[in-house]
Amino acid sequence: MPHFVMSYYFMEVFYSLVNTPLVGRERAIIMDVNEVFGHFYTIFDVLLTTGAMVLILGSRKEASGVTLLLMGRVVHRLFFSIWTVFFYFLFNDSLDVGSLLMLMAAKIEMRDQKEWPQMAKWKYQLLLLGGRVCLSSLFIMWLDEGLDTFFSISSKVLWFFIIAGFQCKLFAYLTVIALLYHDVFSNHWSMLWGWNDRLLSIQYFSLLFSKIGGFLMLSELGGGKWSIDGLRNRKGSQWEKKGNYRIIKDQTSA
């Protein structure tokens, strides 16, 4: 699933490399600067994203890699945002951040459990909380689209259970199904393969994979400590400890 998330950034780099003259020229026009600066920024963005991917997938410094990606996102958003639809871009970026936070949590989870005492466990739980909240921005974008009544109600139900962290693993799986319906089997399919540029279509497919990867990692890792599921698990473990204590006490008195 981390590779699913990274596929979107890989396709961004690949598209920029294949269409460097076009991408650089377009960015120069948007920023209203000399074309040379547009090409310079494109090269900078490619190197930054490539370095971040190497750190995330090829080393244990995923935090540094994610930080680089977020820095690139902030700069990109400042330069190229259409401010009349700023909140759409904000929620879209929040979705990307959620997938990256879940990626960091998954990388930590995959390590040897012997290394966990050296880590601050609250940081892991914070990643799960932040990832869950940021991924929930997907439902806000869906509600803003004015979808059909059934899908709108389903989105609100999924949003509630994901943000609350109740049966989080189950509803994360259901969100993947809803995501496939929304992006592939509904009238939004044109955003995937309705482009004249084949590379651009592949890039949008990779964005779909990135979103699916984020929610599948959520389905595996769960809502974490700061969720209703986490609260129920803590209460359950407390009752088990109390029950064991009563059994031991009875045996001693006997």
Side-chain angles (χ1 to χ4, degrees), residues 19-62:
N19 299 287
T20 299
L22 176 63
V23 173
R25 193 179 308 116
E26 287 178 345
R27 288 175 171 175
I29 292 172
I30 294 173
M31 292 187 291
D32 193 21
V33 295
N34 189 281
E35 189 173 325
V36 174
F37 183 80
H39 293 308
F40 174 78
Y41 176 82
T42 301
I43 295 172
F44 165 77
D45 187 50
V46 166
L47 292 176
L48 184 72
T49 307
T50 303
M53 287 192 297
V54 171
L55 287 174
I56 291 172
L57 297 178
S59 72
R60 296 193 171 194
K61 298 180 179 180
E62 61 275 353

Side-chain angles (χ1 to χ4, degrees), residues 189-209:
W189 64 269
S190 59
M191 291 297 294
L192 293 176
W193 52 70
W195 303 90
N196 294 328
D197 190 334
R198 200 170 283 179
L199 279 179
L200 197 57
S201 295
I202 296 175
Q203 187 175 353
Y204 273 91
F205 263 108
S206 63
L207 177 59
L208 172 63
F209 291 148

